[in-house]
Amino acid sequence: MALALRWLRPLPSLLHRSSFAMARGLPQAARGCPAPLLEGCRQCVQHMLLSRQLATKKAKGKGQSQAKVNISAALVEDIINLEETSEDMQAVIEALKEDFNRNLNVRTSPGALDHITVMTKDGKFPLNQLGQISQKSPQLMIVNMTSFPESTAAAAKAIRESGMNLNPEVDGTVIRVPVPKVTREHRESLAKLAKQSTNKSKEALRKVRSKSITQVKKFKNKVSEDTIWLLEKQIQQMADEAATEMDKLLAAKTKELLG
């Protein structure tokens, strides 16, 4: 009996250590949560699932790339709409593509003039809604402004200031637009415009990122710091991927323009 009691004496201590170790492995309930962690509180479940990804926070070390964060949009929909953020970033990329295709081409075609914005007394209008655009020859385009003769001067000004290296000539209600020869200087000028457009798009991208991070920070007193950190990292990661895609578009366009 004495021997049995001697073996049982350390048991409470061992059980205490075991329960303490298990408790340390569980995530803590979100601050201010009224329900225990295991009763199904949605906020706590979110915190628990997000905390499992926190290992990425300390993964970055010397010579070691940081693991990517991939948070379920549905999991954090009460904090921010990540799908909407992604769509806004993609819209910036699509706008850059459209700008490249419409305004930055080595050879000018009638379609390149379609969406030049003309400022009139009645507001802004695309050039193709005010005049009839046609190509007389490979070296000459014609814009017939007969339907809106009062906007002829404004249309010529818009063409001149379009950044397409065009110098229109007005003849009554007809605008003659000589197509410039493709010189090395013209190619380099277009490449610079492509770079400027990309920089403007990246600025628009930064605004989307900042807006999203500001939205997340509004919940800093309602969810854990780990959750905020992970969401900020996810948004930054999305912005970095969008910026990388823009750089690839620029590189391809620059190669096309410079030949």
Side-chain angles (χ1 to χ4, degrees), residues 14 18 37 59 62 68 98 113 134 207 213 229 240 242:
L14 290 173
S18 176
L37 177 63
K62 189 174 181 180
K68 293 179 68 175
E98 185 177 357
L113 303 183
S134 60
K207 289 180 179 179
I213 289 179
W229 182 88
D240 290 343

Side-chain angles (χ1 to χ4, degrees), residues 38 53 60 120 162 168 220 223 236:
L38 299 181
Q53 302 177 56
K60 189 174 182 180
T120 73
S162 65
K220 65 181 180 180
V223 298
Q236 182 62 54

Side-chain angles (χ1 to χ4, degrees), residues 167-183:
N167 188 24
E169 302 167 356
V170 178
D171 182 10
T173 58
V174 173
I175 303 175
R176 299 164 60 85
V177 186
V179 178
K181 293 182 179 180
V182 182
T183 63

Side-chain angles (χ1 to χ4, degrees), residues 7 17 20 57 121 123 135 149 154 167 195-196 245:
W7 279 102
R17 291 178 187 175
F20 178 73
K57 185 174 182 179
K121 62 180 181 179
Q135 187 145 6
N167 188 24
K195 178 66 174 177
Q196 292 173 9
E245 186 172 348

Side-chain angles (χ1 to χ4, degrees), residues 98-141:
E98 185 177 357
D99 182 44
F100 280 179
N101 293 332
R102 180 188 301 171
N103 300 322
L104 299 175
N105 295 297
V106 174
R107 295 194 178 278
T108 306
S109 63
L113 303 183
D114 285 351
H115 300 285
I116 290 179
T117 302
V118 181
M119 177 65 75
T120 73
K121 62 180 181 179
D122 297 318
K124 296 180 180 179
F125 296 92
L127 180 59
N128 63 349
Q129 290 186 11
L130 301 175
Q132 183 179 1
I133 305 170
S134 60
Q135 187 145 6
K136 189 75 172 178
S137 71
Q139 290 77 38
L140 180 65
M141 288 186 294

Side-chain angles (χ1 to χ4, degrees), residues 116 118 127 130 143 145 151-160 168 175:
I116 290 179
V118 181
L127 180 59
L130 301 175
V143 183
M145 299 293 295
S151 299
T152 302
K157 180 181 179 183
I159 295 171
R160 187 175 296 109
I175 303 175

